[in-house]
Amino acid sequence: LNYNNLQSGSADYTLDLFPKFTINEHCIDVSKGEVSYQDKMTKLEPKVMSVLVLLAKRHGQVISAEDIFKVVW
């Protein structure tokens, strides 16, 4: 995971805070709502992208469904 754009210390998980990051070979373009791998691209719904950003930001931590709901919804 490339954490260059995932700065810690912020409780705000709005999509515009993390424009792009990578997980292994997957490139996540948050502003476009896209995940790409090799030559394939998939569009994600905004809530799905918010969950992905939250999970990436809190890598290595256990996050309850309740916490995800509180932050994303």
Side-chain angles (χ1 to χ4, degrees):
L1 178 59
N2 178 345
Y3 303 103
N4 290 337
N5 293 323
L6 296 174
Q7 303 300 318
S8 62
S10 173
D12 189 349
Y13 292 93
T14 57
L15 299 181
D16 58 336
L17 293 179
F18 313 105
K20 292 183 182 180
F21 62 97
T22 58
I23 300 174
N24 296 325
E25 296 179 26
H26 295 81
C27 297
I28 294 87
D29 187 329
V30 178
S31 61
K32 292 182 180 180
E34 298 174 350
V35 176
S36 57
Y37 174 74
Q38 296 176 348
D39 61 348
K40 300 175 186 173
M41 188 274 298
T42 301
K43 290 286 270 182
L44 297 181
E45 295 178 17
K47 292 289 185 193
V48 174
M49 183 61 77
S50 294
V51 171
L52 179 59
V53 169
L54 172 63
L55 294 174
K57 183 170 170 100
R58 294 193 184 175
H59 68 279
Q61 298 177 23
V62 175
I63 306 170
S64 70
E66 181 179 336
D67 286 344
I68 293 171
F69 185 78
K70 285 179 185 177
V71 172
V72 175
W73 277 266

